[in-house]
Amino acid sequence: MENLLNWFEKRLPAINAYKKHLSEYPMPKNFNFWYLFARSPCWCW
């Protein structure tokens, strides 16, 4: 099963892309819930 997964990953790096762009996306340390409220007036136009 591992060989099949490695073969698939070589040809279509979907798992690596998922890890790089979605699951382990770097976030700033000071990012918190209040950033949502800072952007909300832009959505209310």
Side-chain angles (χ1 to χ4, degrees):
M1 187 69 174
E2 177 107 11
N3 291 336
L4 179 63
L5 186 59
N6 289 337
W7 178 85
F8 186 74
E9 186 65 25
K10 275 186 182 177
R11 283 144 183 83
L12 181 67
I15 296 171
N16 189 22
Y18 170 77
K19 285 182 180 177
K20 184 177 179 183
H21 297 289
L22 296 174
S23 69
E24 297 175 1
Y25 188 74
M27 299 291 282
K29 287 190 175 208
N30 62 350
F31 187 80
N32 59 33
F33 180 72
W34 297 107
Y35 279 91
L36 176 66
F37 293 110
R39 296 297 293 166
S40 60
C42 296
W43 300 332
C44 296
W45 270 90

